[in-house]
Amino acid sequence: ACGGGLQGAGASSASGAPRRMALTRRMLASRTCAAAPRGWKPGGLRPSRRAGCSSPRCSSLAADDLRDAVQSTARGLRTGKTAQERIDRCVAELRRLGEGQTTTDDTLSGTWRMLWTTEKETLFIAEKSAWFGKEVPDILQVIDVSEGTINNVIEFSQDGVPDGVFFVTGTLQVEGPQRMGFKFTGAQYRSRRQESGFSLPPFGQGWFDTLYIGQGIRIAEDIRGDTLVVERAAEPWQAP
């Protein structure tokens, strides 16, 4: 389904090339993320490999369509039925493309910026920050496989100025080609305007599967069945 149509479009005349290129890209993207059978949901039977192609171009199209699908959902706070169905289709297709990948090596390391999640606690903090006059410009996950560490980070700002950061620290252990075990060891809030902050006791442990890494995107599913869609951040996060 994702064969050499784009190469042919690129060789067209200058006047018609952009239109044909855009049309071809939309057609391929619709085939890619429409690959999941109607009614399929994460956790159910996976689509057949014959449902879509496995070329890097199709992976790129599916990743782009997923980015577009989550763009207006406020990271998951405002995911309507149509958006949810589209996200499910794209996650299913990228999950299929990620079958057989080893995603617990150094490709997992880095600073990842959250695009969308079903994780209620994270969404609660993002939503209720407005009660305190705060915005949440970034939610990050910072992973170092070689060091065996993970940091979940929520950045706060006020009137566009960085105001504080809440971050949970933890340890990681490889449990399989796509599974990482984790154990949280502590949590802190630090103010960026004042030399102040507080710590919380350690809490939580479990595992998460990284179902797909590629095209700057990562998709994970955790022990509770929550889905996380993140993109690789342009800059590494530095602890305050």
Side-chain angles (χ1 to χ4, degrees), residues 65 100 237:
D65 202 32
W237 180 75

Side-chain angles (χ1 to χ4, degrees), residues 67-80 83 87 113-120 122-128 136-137 139 229:
R67 282 189 177 95
D68 186 60
V70 303
Q71 190 171 11
S72 60
T73 65
R75 303 189 184 105
L77 282 170
R78 295 190 294 273
T79 307
I87 291 166
R113 177 175 170 265
M114 195 182 85
L115 300 178
W116 184 84
T117 190
T118 59
E119 208 272 323
K120 292 181 175 59
T122 301
L123 293 175
F124 178 83
I125 294 173
E127 182 180 30
K128 302 308 180 186
V136 179
I139 300 175
V229 178

Side-chain angles (χ1 to χ4, degrees), residues 126 129-130 133-138 154-161 163:
S129 64
K134 312 287 188 185
E135 302 91 33
V136 179
D138 262 327
I154 300 179
E155 295 272 7
F156 296 98
S157 65
Q158 189 167 18
D159 300 324
V161 178
D163 184 75

Side-chain angles (χ1 to χ4, degrees), residues 123-197:
L123 293 175
F124 178 83
I125 294 173
E127 182 180 30
K128 302 308 180 186
S129 64
W131 289 1
F132 307 99
K134 312 287 188 185
E135 302 91 33
V136 179
D138 262 327
I139 300 175
L140 306 169
Q141 190 171 73
V142 186
I143 292 174
D144 190 322
V145 173
S146 61
E147 294 294 326
T149 60
I150 182 170
N151 290 286
N152 289 336
V153 182
I154 300 179
E155 295 272 7
F156 296 98
S157 65
Q158 189 167 18
D159 300 324
V161 178
D163 184 75
V165 57
F166 176 73
F167 58 101
V168 180
T169 58
T171 59
L172 285 176
Q173 183 175 353
V174 176
E175 295 186 354
Q178 294 193 335
R179 179 162 296 183
M180 297 293 286
F182 67 85
K183 183 177 182 179
F184 292 129
T185 56
Q188 296 183 53
Y189 176 81
R190 299 247 184 109
S191 172
R192 291 193 183 275
R193 294 190 179 191
Q194 304 172 358
E195 297 276 335
S196 63

Side-chain angles (χ1 to χ4, degrees), residues 8-95:
S12 303
S13 65
S15 60
R19 181 176 297 179
R20 280 189 286 273
M21 179 73 79
L23 177 60
T24 304
R25 187 173 181 83
R26 285 196 299 271
M27 289 172 64
L28 291 178
S30 66
R31 292 177 190 177
T32 302
C33 280
R38 184 180 297 276
W40 185 89
K41 294 182 179 179
L45 295 175
R46 295 183 185 179
S48 165
R49 282 193 175 272
R50 292 176 295 177
C53 72
S54 57
S55 73
R57 192 174 299 281
C58 283
S59 180
S60 175
L61 291 168
D64 286 349
D65 202 32
L66 179 57
R67 282 189 177 95
D68 186 60
V70 303
Q71 190 171 11
S72 60
T73 65
R75 303 189 184 105
L77 282 170
R78 295 190 294 273
T79 307
K81 181 180 178 181
T82 300
Q84 185 67 61
E85 290 174 349
R86 185 180 176 193
I87 291 166
D88 286 347
R89 287 196 299 270
C90 289
V91 167
E93 177 61 9
L94 288 167
R95 179 175 187 151

